[in-house]
């Protein structure tokens, strides 16, 4: 069958650019080559050089202020983004370290990570996944930025919501016809959100981290790998490999980089983060992290950090629970890495 043929091809995937070095020099040379190849496979992902912002709302809370913006550029889809500023009475006027907070699948998108919980459904969604990490980190003194990725939240039109097809798959196919990929488009928006953060007077973009759960974890991995402004990352609920996914379970178009398995897999993408600090969160009951494959991924990631001379800069944080954000070690690491 088609599926059997694909599984056989997956097992025999070339993975031609696996890291096999031993030194920081070996790593730097490999990262330059592999990052260039990933950039090529992603298709267009450069943010607009010129753009404008529109402030949509401002809400003041005891511990932070939440502002909602719409970033707009000619010929590009507009980008909704939240900025959460810590209370200056508690933390001073800044500038503050920045943390880009990326959401996963779900109808509430970036509303969830900033803690918008005014309905029972929204509150339950946040509670189940401990989802409001942008709000949690703002309370810790970080200026948090939360963009809405596609095709989620308010970026998904009503007609698409009513279809029974997977919006990620549909969007992926349509973008491919236009010469783009969905991961490339979302990486562009994540980089655009960082460009936006760099314009805020109370934000210090030189002290920048990135965190996310599930698909947000996948995009945290990719953003940290491809944007060196990110100095530290926390990847939650995404310790899995595409070689496993393509053979055993469905993986949406939002996670597909065409041709990736010819050169490497997610451990190699994660390896592009080294030697910068990175925590990988793994829940004991997370059914999306497959035993055996998680060990393969850990081994290849650890190999890269060891070669960098920073074996302790990568942490695998195991916690009791399912597919959710834990964050127990996230804020301490980010404070240490970003100051």
């Amino acid at each position: 069958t088609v599926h059997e043929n694909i599984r056989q091809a997956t097992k025999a995937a070339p993975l031609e650019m696996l890291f096999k070095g031993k030194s920081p020099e070996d790593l730097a040379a490999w990262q330059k080559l592999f990052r260039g190849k990933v950039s090529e496979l992603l298709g267009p992902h450069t943010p607009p050089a010129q753009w404008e912002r529109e402030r949509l709302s401002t809400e003041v809370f005891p511990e932070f202020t939440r502002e909602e913006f719409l970033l707009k550029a000619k010929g590009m889809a507009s980008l909704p983004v939240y900025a959460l500023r810590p209370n200056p009475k508690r933390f001073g006027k800044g500038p503050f370290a920045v943390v880009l907070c990326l959401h996963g699948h779900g109808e509430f998108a970036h509303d969830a990570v900033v803690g918008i919980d005014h309905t029972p459904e929204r509150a339950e969604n946040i509670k189940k996944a401990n989802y409001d990490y942008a709000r949690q980190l703002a309370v810790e003194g970080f200026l948090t930025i939360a963009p809405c990725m596609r095709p989620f939240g308010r970026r998904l039109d009503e007609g698409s919501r009513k279809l029974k097809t997977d919006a990620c798959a549909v969007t992926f196919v349509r973008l491919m016809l236009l010469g783009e990929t969905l991961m490339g488009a979302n990486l562009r928006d994540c980089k655009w959100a960082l460009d936006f953060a760099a314009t805020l007077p109370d934000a210090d973009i030189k002290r920048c981290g990135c965190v996310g759960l599930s698909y947000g974890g996948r995009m945290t991995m990719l953003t940290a790998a491809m944007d060196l402004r990110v100095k530290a990352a926390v990847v939650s609920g995404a310790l899995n490999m595409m070689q496993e996914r393509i053979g055993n379970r469905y993986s949406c178009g939002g996670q597909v980089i065409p041709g990736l398995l010819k050169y490497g897999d997610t451990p190699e993408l994660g390896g592009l983060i080294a030697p910068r600090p990175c925590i990988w969160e793994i829940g004991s009951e997370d059914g999306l992290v497959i035993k055996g494959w998680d060990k393969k991924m850990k081994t290849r990631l650890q190999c890269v950090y060891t070669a960098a001379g920073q074996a302790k800069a990568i942490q695998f944080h195991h916690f009791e629970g399912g597919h959710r954000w834990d964050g127990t070690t996230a804020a301490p690491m980010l404070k240490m890495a970003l100051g």
Side-chain angles (χ1 to χ4, degrees):
T1 65
V2 170
H3 183 63
E4 289 168 344
N5 178 256
I6 290 175
R7 290 187 69 175
Q8 291 171 5
T10 301
K11 291 180 180 179
L15 306 176
E16 295 172 355
M17 295 180 70
L18 296 186
F19 177 66
K20 299 177 181 178
K22 301 291 184 182
S23 68
E25 293 76 18
D26 293 338
L27 177 60
W30 172 81
Q31 286 181 324
K32 182 178 180 180
L33 290 174
F34 189 66
R35 185 175 286 115
K37 178 54 67 175
V38 173
S39 181
E40 176 187 324
L41 297 176
L42 282 167
H45 57 275
T46 302
Q50 296 183 331
W51 48 275
E52 60 184 27
R53 79 193 69 186
E54 177 186 355
R55 183 184 279 107
L56 302 180
S57 66
T58 301
E59 292 186 83
V60 179
F61 300 90
E63 296 175 305
F64 61 88
T65 297
R66 182 172 66 216
E67 294 179 288
E68 182 182 15
F69 295 88
L70 190 65
L71 309 185
K72 297 182 285 186
K74 186 176 180 179
M76 293 189 64
S78 56
L79 175 62
V81 60
Y82 288 108
L84 276 61
R85 292 182 162 93
N87 187 338
K89 292 183 179 179
R90 180 180 175 191
F91 294 103
K93 295 182 179 180
F96 303 105
V98 174
V99 180
L100 183 67
C101 299
L102 305 180
H103 66 82
H105 286 78
E107 61 178 313
F108 303 125
H110 67 328
D111 284 4
V113 300
V114 300
I116 295 178
D117 57 0
H118 58 274
T119 69
E121 292 79 12
R122 288 174 178 267
E124 180 59 29
N125 175 251
I126 291 173
K127 180 181 179 181
K128 182 179 179 180
N130 192 26
Y131 217 161
D132 58 344
Y133 33 85
R135 176 168 61 182
Q136 295 174 28
L137 291 170
V139 172
E140 293 285 345
F142 296 99
L143 192 157
T144 58
I145 302 293
C148 181
M149 292 184 287
R150 46 186 132 184
F152 306 105
R154 66 199 66 180
R155 302 188 77 178
L156 189 63
D157 60 87
E158 286 303 315
S160 297
R161 292 180 194 277
K162 294 177 181 178
L163 294 176
K164 294 183 179 180
T165 52
D166 177 7
C168 288
V170 171
T171 306
F172 172 81
V173 170
R174 289 173 175 172
L175 285 173
M176 285 291 288
L177 288 169
L178 295 170
E180 298 190 50
T181 66
L182 184 48
M183 280 197 90
N186 277 332
L187 176 61
R188 175 198 291 127
D189 288 345
C190 290
K191 293 164 72 74
W192 191 3
L194 289 181
D195 290 348
F196 161 71
T199 68
L200 301 178
D202 52 350
D204 184 358
I205 198 63
K206 293 181 179 180
R207 297 185 293 138
C208 175
C210 186
V211 306
L213 167 67
S214 195
Y215 181 60
R218 186 77 77 204
M219 287 306 303
T220 291
M221 175 191 68
L222 185 64
T223 303
M226 303 302 290
D227 195 321
L228 298 182
R229 288 177 294 183
V230 176
K231 300 300 191 293
V234 183
V235 180
S236 184
L239 190 78
N240 40 48
M241 296 168 60
M242 299 313 295
Q243 200 172 18
E244 169 264 315
R245 280 292 181 92
I246 196 174
N248 297 310
R249 62 173 68 230
Y250 174 70
S251 189
C252 74
Q255 302 190 50
V256 175
I257 301 177
L260 177 63
L261 294 182
K262 181 178 180 182
Y263 305 100
D265 204 330
T266 48
E268 286 64 57
L269 292 172
L272 293 177
I273 302 174
R276 293 165 287 165
C278 186
I279 294 174
W280 294 77
E281 290 192 344
I282 310 108
S284 60
E285 304 300 322
D286 190 339
L288 296 180
V289 178
I290 307 302
K291 291 183 179 180
W293 286 96
D294 60 339
K295 185 177 181 180
K296 290 181 182 181
M297 185 162 182
K298 286 180 182 178
T299 299
R300 277 153 59 178
L301 284 168
Q302 192 68 68
C303 178
V304 172
Y305 275 84
T306 299
Q310 298 291 334
K312 294 184 179 179
I314 186 169
Q315 302 175 44
F316 298 103
H317 172 61
H318 293 264
F319 64 92
E320 293 296 321
H323 193 65
R324 66 194 306 272
W325 169 265
D326 182 66
T328 305
T329 59
M333 184 278 279
L334 291 170
K335 288 179 180 179
M336 182 174 294
L338 307 179

